[in-house]
């Protein structure tokens, strides 16, 4: 990558790291919430559903601002967490948090749809064979929704790679810490003659996201084949 | 620092690092974002804003060292058009409507983004505001306004001089005389949590080397 | 072990309301399509929560709305063979078969997978996925999966309907073995008269959600007035001993000093068996028949004559080999002058005693 | 109308390679689970594209790999009754039934929906969705859906397996009517000997993807060496006329001057019928039997004696009523001294002639 | 809504209009593309797939800029379309275009997942009953994927309601034409003391999006009930 400056390579690596962790850490939550929304009826279900979708609806800047207020050093959650050693403010972890939250609705929607497509009769069959609810989930539901999980994760990863508004508002644009590819693109776009550099970074984003997409298609197809067996 | 300073500041910071072996980390974002982050306790030492209002807010909340506040840079507003448009003098009675020819005048948000606010004031002072008010395409930042003109979407635009001179696809029709708008100031200040190196960098920014670079990028130095 | 079931539940236009005890062995649920058989089985499995009722295996209560007991399905230790298979599409046949074993308690009685696989003839399918199986193959895997879960209760909803006769004949003995040796209670739904006749310890006849007849299989089967499995399933059961195997493909059985011949059966000489003699297949004669192709003739006296609806009657004949039932026309009863105590001969075709009707051991209810 | 089928295709471990012509009427595909029956039906339906082959109804070619003809499934005008139902879950029963009718060409022969609904006993289900049906109800709706599509070819993959005997007995005549009156060719997969015996015009026995026996039903059924439907399905067919209905619940039939009694049948006096007499149910006697409960005795001479595998033999007896087959042991053949031309008596139990075996009209192949 | 100024009501109405049309017009394309991706194998399938996801990956500003280049008055598509009377530049239609394109990947993903969950055996059954491919789609596939279509549409609508970066870059912010709620929110956030007004607008966005969500849950559940029949 001779045509990338060290700062750009830095941004690329950071973006990958942020998106990777954002996806990985939100995944269990995403699966849990999707399952709860798909299969359980509980009071507050619609509230949860609304909350999950919030980042999609709000302008990213607003989400970032809310994150800043909540998870900032002086925020109601940021303070206590900081005492536990978990600091989000102006760290790459914060960028991951922002990206994860922005990507969360996409992930949940995808997984939820695939859970809803699983025939409860198969889950029942698992139960009669002695598998507890959790076991049924692990051995029947989870494998059958793998295509949805992969789809949801890649969608989330792609979204995280492209996330910008909430991230820059929450954790700013600090090279090496929070300057992800999109932030770098933004910075380049703010100055004269930055277009060339911005274009370069955009192309990198595209290449990475497309590779992830292709990979997910490939894996998803193989898994779907296994699941459908045809 | 304000995002529009990126090119210049990157150069200057590199020079500073070479001479002092101190490392400088610069985060570029919109002035409003930077101000809010400092409000929220961002670990910043120095802020260079494109917007005096936000600096006033921070000052009001005692988040900056009042003594260190300086007007670091200035800038000018220009009216731009397609590459080959004829330069004209900008004065009261400018035939802006005719030149727009039904198209839009590209500006940054006229009530929110500094470039837009200055531009609106200029248009008001030029007595053109009421005429063009309905024909303004506002963008979230100056660069986007510049892009509208550069791509031909809008025939005219009002942007910073520093942005206009580097864009080949637009031509400067004329600089808006400073008397028509409030002085465009980039204030800088140390935050209350700043360390000693921050002051040295702020001082460096006001040095000759740095100022020459700013001028090269189309900024001006504040009067006085 | 005995299974007691009491249920009340309202479906869209079926009111389920039943109460019966199933003794150990196979209880066949019998009834027309839509009479509620699958619904009952689902309630026992815990897949449907009935409005009211109680299900227990001996004193192990699966649920009881009165006491507020409700065991979730996975705690009921069931082997449920579903009417529609319900194989896991993402698992291979082998994994499907092993599924229940993963969750079986350590100490549970374990079937040998090899034995089950061999019996079901699915050895060559182990690495396939369900989508690549034929309808009958799927059903066989479903049977295997349920059997290998070490269940304490087997629920079988028309398990053999999709199978061909030869395969049925191979699998039926396995259910018999479960019934006789392992004493797992089996709740078995079927439409097949032959299966009812062969497997049922007791029969529960359902109609529109209610029990219309319930009793030991031998009684219900011998009762021409109900004949839930069709009159063709009425028959008697004789206790016999294998006496000899002959070169011409016949086996000779001995019962109370009488000899019976039937096509070769696999049992060893000396084995004690019970064979079912369908009433359908028995001809009565007032004098000892001669020159008949039928090899089995038992002499005895008429015990009872029960006229059913229609032109038929079931005549029980007490013979040295045991009670034999014959289904004849009322016209013949008159023509032969049969009445209680009349001496008569029961003629049974050799080929009518199919191996299908021979069970290793039939537990009396 | 006749259906000709030639197929070559390789499945995971089954090589399909067959070639047969099915005359008009019902062609039963018979074979063990996994022998390729559903695969053949799918190929005819166009759901599977075989490597090579040709399928045509008379000169209407459905596909021909040689000529490169391939009609997509929706142009084949089929009524396919799937082994697993495949009802549309989002449509009501009524909409499911009507589905095929929406697409049937205007001029097509139309079944009366009311008639079909009534015959299938699904009138009370019309507004339900498939998830609220029992297994048998689903299958009945699936049958109705296929029949109402005005098909030019009916494919039925074990359509009655999930149904109880009474319902089977109600639906079978409908297939017979399709076969006899409408002359829609029917390719019918079943494991049930009774269905084979009753419906089949010709039988194709499959084994591991190949045709092992193919011929008119009456021939294949009379051949003890193949007996694709099990030896119990071997039987003869007699042409009879209804002579009288008696008060004691019996009907009297006349055939070649002989009288036969059987439980009351619904036909009118004078009607011409064909009845199947299972070889299983016939006893032979070397002298006229007396004092027997069996009301039907036909005298005749032995025509042929065919020994099958095992202890049995099929003896054909030429009687005034027609050829009758009897399944007896080889030991009895010897004991009675039967050989070609021997005079003998065929004894048939009245109750053995079940209404199930009586067809309105049986088309000779 | 006494506490909303006329400009704000204008922005609200515009946002609703833009999001509604963005969703409605992209829907047929979304269904078509989702179907093609789910069921057909054709060369360029992966390219199409990548293209669809592009707006998700790219920073919105970049998407907006590309739209400007393509659909601007002098763009390769903008010019010819303008001659046909279809003008996007600085019109609400352009805002709808931007919103639609940004929401497209979400819509396609949701619909595609639900198409993949439809058992092809049911489609085959439709075919044997005489329904052509198109008819099978209309009578079997489409009704069965309705929950997915509803989910996808609401997701798209919500996304469209929140879209800002691409919109403002492409068609800028012209009150009454292209000033949607998020643009207004952004503007308020740029100035000190704009928070109160921004909060007001954000709450409106949330209420609207939540109502849409609730409605979709309700409709989706009813439809799913019909489809699954249970
Ligand atoms: N999609 C498939 N791919 C590969 N092999 C298959 C597939 N479907 C079925 N088979 C195999 O092909 C063989 C024939 O299957 P088919 O469904 O035609 O059997 P069948 O005669 O209909 O059996 P049954 O009576 O059990 O329904 C079986 O061995 C089966 O395992
Ligand atoms: N989920 C349901 N909701 C409402 N009614 C139902 C439901 N499932 C089945 N039914 C109805 O309840 C009755 C009993 O159904 P069930 O499945 O128990 O019948 P079954 O005896 O098993 O019939 P089959 O022999 O056809 O399988 C039927 O009339 C059926 O239509
Ligand atoms: Mg059932
Ligand atoms: Mg099959």
């Amino acid at each position: 990558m001779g045509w990338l400056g060290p700062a750009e390579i830095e941004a690329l690596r950071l973006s990958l790291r942020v998106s990777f962790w954002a996806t990985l850490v939100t995944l269990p939550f995403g699966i849990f919430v999707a399952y709860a929304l798909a299969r359980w009826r509980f009071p507050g279900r619609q509230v949860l559903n609304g909350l999950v979708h919030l980042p999609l609806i709000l302008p990213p800047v607003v989400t970032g601002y809310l994150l800043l207020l909540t998870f900032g050093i002086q925020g109601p959650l940021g303070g206590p967490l900081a005492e536990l050693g978990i600091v989000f403010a102006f760290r790459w972890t914060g960028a991951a948090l922002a990206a994860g939250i922005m990507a969360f609705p996409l992930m949940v929607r995808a997984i939820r749809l695939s859970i809803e497509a699983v025939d409860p009769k198969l889950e029942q069959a698992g139960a009669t064979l002695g598998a507890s609810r959790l076991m049924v989930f692990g051995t029947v539901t989870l494998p059958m929704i793998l295509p949805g999980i992969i789809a949801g994760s890649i969608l989330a990863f792609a979204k995280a790679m492209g996330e910008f508004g909430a991230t820059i508002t929450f954790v700013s644009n600090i090279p090496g810490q929070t300057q992800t590819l999109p932030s770098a693109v933004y910075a380049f776009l703010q100055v004269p003659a930055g277009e060339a550099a911005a274009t370069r970074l955009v192309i990198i984003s595209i290449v990475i996201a497309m590779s992830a997409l292709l990979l997910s298609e490939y894996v998803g197809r193989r898994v779907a084949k296994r699941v459908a067996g045809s | 620092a304000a995002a529009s300073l990126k090119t210049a500041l990157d150069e200057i910071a590199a020079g500073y690092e070479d001479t002092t072996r101190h490392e400088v980390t610069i985060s570029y974002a919109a002035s409003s974002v930077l101000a809010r982050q400092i409000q929220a306790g961002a670990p910043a030492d120095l802020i260079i804003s494109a917007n005096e209002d936000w600096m006033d807010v921070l000052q009001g909340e005692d988040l900056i060292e009042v003594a260190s506040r300086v007007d670091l840079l200035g800038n000018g507003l220009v009216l731009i058009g397609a590459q080959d448009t004829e330069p004209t003098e900008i004065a009261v009675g400018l035939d802006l409507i005719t030149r727009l020819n039904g198209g839009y005048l590209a500006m940054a948000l006229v009530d929110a983004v500094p470039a837009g606010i200055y531009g609106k004031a200029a248009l008001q002072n030029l007595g053109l505001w009421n005429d063009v008010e309905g024909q303004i395409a506002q963008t979230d930042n100056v660069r986007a306004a510049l892009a509208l003109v550069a791509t031909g979407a809008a025939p005219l635009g009002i942007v910073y001089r520093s942005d206009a001179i580097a864009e080949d696809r637009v031509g400067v029709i004329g600089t808006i005389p400073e008397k028509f708008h409030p002085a465009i100031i980039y204030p800088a200040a140390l935050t209350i949590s700043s360390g000693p190196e921050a002051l040295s960098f702020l001082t460096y920014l006001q040095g000759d080397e740095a100022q020459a670079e700013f001028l090269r990028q189309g900024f001006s130095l504040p009067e006085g | 072990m005995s299974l007691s079931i009491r249920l009340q539940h309202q479906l869209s236009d079926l009111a389920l309301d039943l109460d019966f005890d199933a003794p150990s062995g196979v209880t066949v649920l019998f009834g027309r399509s839509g009479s509620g058989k699958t619904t009952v089985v689902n309630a026992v499995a815990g897949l449907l929560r009935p409005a009211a009722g109680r299900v227990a295996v001996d004193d192990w209560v699966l649920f009881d709305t009165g006491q507020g007991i409700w065991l979730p399905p996975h705690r009921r230790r069931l082997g449920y063979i579903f009417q529609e298979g319900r194989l896991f599409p993402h698992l291979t046949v082998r994994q499907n078969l092993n599924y229940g074993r993963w969750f079986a308690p350590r100490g549970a009685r374990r079937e040998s997978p090899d034995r089950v696989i061999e019996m079901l003839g699915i050895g060559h399918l182990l690495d396939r996925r369900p989508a690549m199986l034929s309808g009958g193959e799927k059903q066989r895997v479903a049977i295997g999966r349920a059997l290998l879960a070490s269940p304490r209760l087997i629920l079988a909803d028309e398990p053999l309907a999709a199978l061909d006769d030869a395969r049925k004949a191979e699998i039926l003995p396995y259910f018999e073995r479960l019934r006789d040796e392992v004493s797992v209670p089996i709740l078995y739904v079927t439409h097949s008269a032959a299966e009812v006749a062969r497997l049922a310890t007791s029969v529960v006849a359902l109609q529109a959600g209610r029990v219309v007849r319930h009793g030991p299989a031998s009684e219900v089967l011998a009762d021409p007035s109900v004949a839930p499995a069709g009159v063709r399933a009425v028959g008697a059961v004789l206790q016999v001993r294998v006496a000899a195997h002959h070169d011409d493909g016949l086996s000779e059985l001995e019962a109370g000093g009488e000899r019976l011949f039937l096509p070769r059966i696999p049992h060893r000489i000396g084995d004690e068996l019970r064979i079912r003699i369908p009433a359908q297949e028995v001809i009565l004669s007032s004098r000892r028949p001669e020159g008949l192709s039928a090899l089995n003739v038992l002499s005895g006296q008429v015990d009872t004559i029960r006229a059913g609806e229609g032109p038929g009657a079931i005549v029980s004949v007490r013979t040295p080999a045991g009670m034999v039932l014959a289904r004849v026309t009322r016209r013949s009863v008159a023509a032969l002058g049969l009445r209680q105590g009349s001496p008569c001969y029961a003629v049974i075709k050799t080929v009518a005693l199919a191996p299908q009707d021979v069970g290793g051991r039939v537990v009396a209810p």
Side-chain angles (χ1 to χ4, degrees), chain A, chain B, chain C:
Chain A
M1 298 215 192
W3 49 291
L4 279 187
E8 291 163 1
I9 291 180
E10 181 81 53
L12 169 58
R13 284 179 46 193
L14 187 71
S15 258
L16 287 174
R17 185 173 356 144
V18 163
S19 306
F20 176 78
W21 285 106
T23 309
L24 198 72
V25 172
T26 43
L27 190 55
F29 297 97
I31 294 174
F32 179 81
V33 170
Y35 191 85
L37 289 176
R39 286 285 154 89
W40 297 339
R41 296 287 166 271
F42 53 92
R45 186 168 156 272
Q46 287 309 335
V47 175
L48 176 65
N49 191 26
L51 225 62
V52 165
H53 281 82
L54 218 48
L56 197 74
I57 300 153
L58 294 179
V61 185
V62 174
T63 308
Y65 187 46
L66 292 176
L67 284 175
L68 187 62
L69 290 180
T70 317
F71 290 96
I73 297 168
Q74 295 152 10
L77 286 180
L81 283 174
E83 302 210 342
L84 298 173
I86 306 171
V87 180
F88 291 116
F90 308 107
R91 298 278 170 82
W92 72 266
T93 47
L97 178 68
I101 282 185
M102 291 300 288
F104 200 61
L106 309 186
M107 181 186 270
V108 169
R109 269 284 177 187
I111 298 176
R112 178 176 168 185
L113 268 183
S114 62
I115 290 176
E116 280 169 350
V118 172
D119 189 351
K121 290 192 169 176
L122 290 175
E123 297 174 328
Q124 288 182 350
T128 66
L129 289 162
S132 64
R133 270 222 206 174
L134 200 70
M135 273 299 176
V136 167
F137 179 77
T139 56
V140 180
T141 321
L142 196 63
M144 295 195 68
I145 61 172
L146 260 190
I149 290 181
I150 292 172
S153 303
I154 292 298
L155 206 63
F157 182 82
K159 172 75 196 170
M161 285 291 292
E163 213 311 293
F164 155 68
T167 309
I168 201 171
T169 309
F170 177 27
V171 291
S172 192
N173 185 356
I174 306 166
Q177 275 293 341
T178 62
Q179 186 172 57
T180 57
L181 276 188
S183 312
V185 169
Y186 166 81
F188 278 122
L189 284 180
Q190 291 309 304
V191 293
E195 269 105 352
T199 307
R200 237 169 30 225
L201 293 184
V202 163
I203 288 173
I204 294 173
S205 304
I206 294 178
V207 168
I208 290 170
M210 289 298 132
S211 314
L213 214 66
L214 274 174
L215 188 73
S216 83
E217 286 285 329
Y218 176 75
V219 176
R221 225 179 13 250
R222 290 205 49 176
V223 170
K225 215 172 194 167
R226 272 190 49 205
V227 171
S230 58
Chain B
S4 49
L5 296 171
K6 180 174 167 60
T7 317
L9 262 187
D10 277 349
E11 281 291 321
I12 295 164
Y16 175 72
E17 284 176 344
D18 283 347
T19 45
T20 64
R21 305 264 149 236
H22 286 301
E23 205 179 311
V24 184
T25 305
I26 306 172
S27 171
Y28 298 102
S31 301
S32 58
V33 168
L34 296 172
R36 285 219 173 77
Q37 287 170 348
I38 286 177
Q39 283 176 323
D45 294 321
L46 172 65
I47 175 170
I48 308 172
S49 176
N51 186 325
E52 282 190 288
D53 291 348
W54 278 110
M55 198 59 111
D56 293 343
V57 168
L58 292 179
Q59 187 168 348
E61 295 179 12
D62 292 332
L63 291 168
I64 54 170
E65 302 273 2
V66 182
S68 67
R69 178 169 172 172
V70 292
D71 291 342
L72 187 62
L73 295 170
N75 208 338
L77 283 182
V78 292
L79 179 68
I80 53 169
Q83 206 174 351
D84 48 0
T85 38
E86 285 289 304
T88 311
E89 196 188 333
I90 312 276
V92 179
L94 180 73
D95 54 344
L96 199 54
I97 299 296
T98 333
R99 283 171 175 264
L100 279 174
N101 192 21
Y104 283 89
L105 174 66
M107 294 173 71
L109 287 166
V110 295
D111 294 318
V113 175
I117 296 170
Y118 295 130
K120 177 178 175 183
L123 288 174
Q124 281 170 332
N125 291 336
L126 283 165
L128 295 169
W129 176 250
N130 290 336
D131 296 338
V132 296
E133 189 180 358
Q135 272 177 270
I136 295 175
Q138 308 177 48
T139 59
D140 56 329
N141 60 65
V142 207
R143 301 289 310 171
L146 185 66
L148 287 181
V149 180
T151 56
L156 301 175
I158 295 177
V159 300
Y160 287 134
R161 187 178 58 228
S162 59
D163 291 311
I165 58 171
E167 172 61 74
D168 296 340
R169 290 174 295 172
V170 303
V172 175
I173 296 173
T175 301
I176 299 176
E178 293 193 356
K179 61 180 178 197
F180 290 119
H181 58 78
I184 301 174
I185 300 292
Y186 289 73
L190 297 177
T191 65
I192 48 169
S193 59
S194 65
E197 294 89 356
L199 179 59
S200 103
F201 185 54
L202 180 56
T203 314
Y204 182 80
L205 287 177
Q206 293 166 283
D208 292 343
E209 222 171 308
Q211 304 236 327
E213 178 62 28
F214 281 132
L215 287 174
R216 195 159 42 243
Q217 298 293 338
F219 293 98
S220 60
L221 301 178
E223 288 115 59
Chain C
M1 279 205 275
S2 113
L3 176 66
S4 78
I5 297 180
R6 182 162 49 75
L7 292 174
Q8 265 143 41
H9 195 69
Q10 179 67 45
L11 279 170
S12 48
D13 57 8
L14 177 84
L16 207 65
D17 183 2
L18 37 79
D19 184 356
F20 62 89
D21 272 28
S24 75
V26 175
T27 302
V28 166
L29 274 184
F30 193 85
R32 295 201 63 159
S33 171
S35 58
K37 305 181 295 296
T38 300
T39 308
V40 171
V41 176
N42 279 340
V44 173
L47 301 182
L48 173 108
R49 197 159 189 157
R54 181 176 184 278
V55 170
V57 178
D58 288 341
D59 49 5
W60 178 42
V61 180
L62 297 184
F63 80 93
D64 184 339
T65 42
Q67 290 180 57
I69 296 178
W70 174 261
L71 277 193
H74 70 278
R75 306 272 297 285
R76 298 193 180 194
R77 307 271 321 278
L78 304 162
Y80 189 163
I81 302 158
F82 294 93
Q83 199 168 358
E84 350 78 77
R86 299 201 194 176
L87 295 181
F88 300 123
H90 61 294
L91 300 180
T92 61
V93 167
R94 189 193 310 278
Q95 292 165 328
N96 265 284
L97 289 173
N98 282 332
Y99 191 90
R101 306 179 72 221
W102 301 338
F103 304 107
R106 220 151 296 274
R109 170 191 58 77
R110 290 198 176 273
E111 287 302 321
S112 146
D114 292 345
R115 209 184 115 62
V116 171
I117 288 167
E118 142 119 60
M119 170 199 66
L120 295 165
I122 50 181
H124 61 295
L125 307 173
L126 291 179
D127 294 317
R128 297 217 203 140
R129 284 179 205 285
M132 312 246 291
L133 300 181
S134 78
E137 288 165 347
K138 274 183 203 143
Q139 195 58 20
R140 282 183 274 157
V141 175
I143 294 172
R145 183 178 68 171
L147 298 182
L148 289 174
S150 313
R152 286 169 63 176
L153 177 62
I154 288 178
L155 305 172
D157 197 356
E158 309 192 23
L160 305 183
L163 303 183
D164 56 278
D165 289 346
R167 190 60 73 185
K168 267 181 196 155
E170 279 171 47
I171 296 178
L172 268 173
Y174 194 82
F175 280 102
E176 285 176 333
R177 196 178 76 83
L178 281 172
R179 172 193 67 189
D180 301 337
E181 295 173 20
V182 198
S183 78
V184 178
I186 300 176
L187 194 60
Y188 192 103
V189 175
T190 182
H191 291 128
S192 153
E195 286 169 40
V196 174
R198 176 140 179 202
L199 281 180
T201 311
S202 66
V203 175
V204 175
L206 287 187
Q207 204 167 57
R210 282 159 197 283
V211 176
V212 290
R213 186 77 164 85
H214 171 213
S218 58
E219 257 178 39
V220 177
L221 288 182
D223 182 348
S225 70
V226 176
V231 276
R232 300 198 152 212
V234 176
V237 172
L238 297 184
Q239 178 81 44
V240 302
R241 202 177 48 77
V242 180
H245 293 305
H246 294 281
D247 290 344
D248 56 1
L250 297 181
S251 291
E252 185 178 343
L253 306 175
E254 185 272 326
E258 300 273 355
R259 303 274 140 174
L260 289 172
F261 293 87
L262 81 173
R264 178 65 130 277
I265 53 173
H267 306 73
R268 275 164 319 201
I269 293 176
D271 279 1
E272 297 275 330
L273 302 177
R274 288 195 161 200
I275 62 171
R276 192 179 75 94
I277 301 182
Q280 175 79 25
E281 309 285 0
V282 178
I283 293 181
L284 296 182
S285 177
S286 52
R287 63 188 76 168
R288 174 168 287 278
E290 275 162 43
L292 270 193
S293 61
L295 293 174
N296 302 310
V297 177
L298 299 173
S299 76
Q301 291 115 320
V302 173
D303 188 62
T304 54
I305 301 175
R306 280 175 296 186
E309 43 185 67
I314 300 286
V315 179
S316 339
V317 179
R318 187 181 305 279
T319 75
M323 194 72 83
V324 171
L325 300 178
R327 181 164 168 252
V328 299
T329 56
R330 282 189 269 138
R331 178 178 293 206
S332 296
V333 171
L336 299 184
L338 297 180
R339 66 181 61 86
Q340 193 162 353
S342 307
C344 75
Y345 296 85
V347 181
I348 307 158
K349 284 199 70 170
T350 308
V351 293
L353 295 176
Q356 263 197 76
D357 290 325
V358 181
R361 196 164 69 93
V362 175
V363 175

